[in-house]
């Protein structure tokens, strides 16, 4: 620095000015240093996360279903049935009565030669004779006997004479009515000796196995 020019004045001269001093400088002090600190760092925080929630799901509901109903059913009814009527029936009439005729009862030539009557031929019942044999049909052998035995010739309606029947027992027992039906079934027209002698004629007739040529009137 230079000294500034001075003007002459009337002032009393003073000592020469003191050499200048350095400009006042505050004592150098170490810069106040605060303890070094790390740069302010905010503690890192996790990225803000909202507490996860499940994807919003509506509570499932069952699809609306109407309560099933049974199809309308009409109560079945019985089919209309008309009250049944009885088919018209004419009052029964009696079968036409064919007038009976008097039938012959002549056997075959061999039977005649032997003196054998048609009523004595029990084998006629088997049907091997009468309508069962062509030669018999041709000559109407034993016509009456075949008729009463149920194997008569076509068109025959022989008259069966009604007689008052006797009821004479065999020599081995005393009374025909006392005989059981089972016993008479094995006798009467099933027995040659009974047929020849007409034993128990009435009892046999009532028992249903009377002699062929007889219809008892009593």
């Amino acid at each position: 620095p230079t000294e500034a020019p001075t003007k002459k004045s009337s002032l009393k001269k003073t000592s020469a000015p003191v050499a200048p001093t350095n400009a006042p400088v505050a004592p150098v002090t170490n810069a106040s240093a605060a303890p070094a600190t790390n740069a302010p760092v905010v503690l890192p925080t996790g990225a803000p996360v909202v507490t996860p929630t499940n994807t919003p799901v509506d509570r499932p509901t069952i699809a609306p279903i109407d309560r099933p109903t049974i199809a309308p059913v009409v109560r079945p009814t019985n089919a209309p049935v008309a009250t049944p009527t009885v088919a018209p029936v004419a009052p029964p009439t009696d079968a036409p009565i064919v007038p009976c005729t008097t039938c012959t009862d002549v056997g075959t030539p061999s039977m005649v030669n032997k003196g054998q009557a048609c009523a004595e031929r029990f084998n006629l019942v088997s049907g091997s004779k009468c309508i069962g044999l062509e030669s018999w049909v041709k000559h109407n052998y034993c016509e009456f006997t075949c008729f009463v035995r149920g194997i008569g010739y076509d068109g025959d309606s022989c008259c069966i004479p009604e007689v008052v029947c006797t009821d004479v027992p065999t020599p081995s027992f005393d009374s025909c009515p006392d005989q059981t039906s089972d016993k008479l079934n094995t006798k009467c027209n099933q027995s040659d000796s009974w047929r020849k002698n007409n034993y128990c004629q009435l009892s046999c007739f009532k028992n249903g196995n009377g002699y062929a040529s007889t219809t008892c009137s009593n």
Side-chain angles (χ1 to χ4, degrees):
T2 59
E3 292 179 314
T6 60
K7 293 180 174 180
K8 293 180 177 175
S9 64
S10 58
L11 294 178
K12 187 179 181 182
K13 289 178 71 169
T14 61
S15 300
V18 180
T21 59
N22 292 329
V25 176
V28 177
T29 60
N30 291 331
S32 58
T37 61
N38 294 324
V41 177
V42 178
L43 290 176
T45 61
V49 177
V50 179
T51 303
T53 58
N54 294 328
T55 304
V57 177
D58 289 335
R59 185 185 300 269
T61 58
I62 299 174
I65 297 177
D66 290 336
R67 187 184 299 272
T69 58
I70 300 173
V73 177
V74 179
R75 186 185 298 272
T77 59
N78 293 328
V81 177
T83 303
T85 57
V86 179
V89 178
T93 57
D94 294 332
I97 298 175
V98 178
C100 66
T101 58
T102 301
C103 296
T104 62
D105 210 27
V106 180
T108 64
S110 64
M111 291 172 62
V112 173
N113 290 337
K114 295 176 183 179
Q116 187 179 38
C118 291
E120 296 173 354
R121 293 291 301 272
F122 286 96
N123 65 340
L124 297 183
V125 180
S126 68
S128 61
K129 305 298 182 182
C130 301
I131 60 173
L133 191 63
E134 186 177 356
S135 61
W136 279 56
V137 174
K138 182 178 180 180
H139 297 94
N140 275 2
Y141 291 137
C142 298
E143 183 181 26
F144 178 76
T145 300
C146 290
F147 175 77
V148 296
R149 299 270 175 95
I151 48 177
Y153 305 112
D154 289 344
D156 280 354
S157 180
C158 301
C159 296
I160 300 176
E162 290 187 1
V163 297
V164 176
C165 295
T166 62
D167 216 21
V168 179
T170 68
S172 62
F173 60 87
D174 297 331
S175 173
C176 292
D178 292 339
Q179 302 306 305
T180 64
S181 177
D182 288 342
K183 176 66 177 293
L184 293 177
N185 285 338
T186 62
K187 303 298 182 180
C188 299
N189 60 12
Q190 300 300 311
S191 169
D192 185 57
S193 63
W194 278 51
R195 184 197 55 74
K196 286 182 178 180
N197 295 283
N198 275 349
Y199 289 137
C200 299
Q201 186 180 35
L202 180 61
S203 292
C204 289
F205 177 78
K206 290 181 177 179
N207 194 58
N209 55 335
Y211 304 111
S213 59
T214 303
T215 298
C216 298
S217 62
N218 55 330

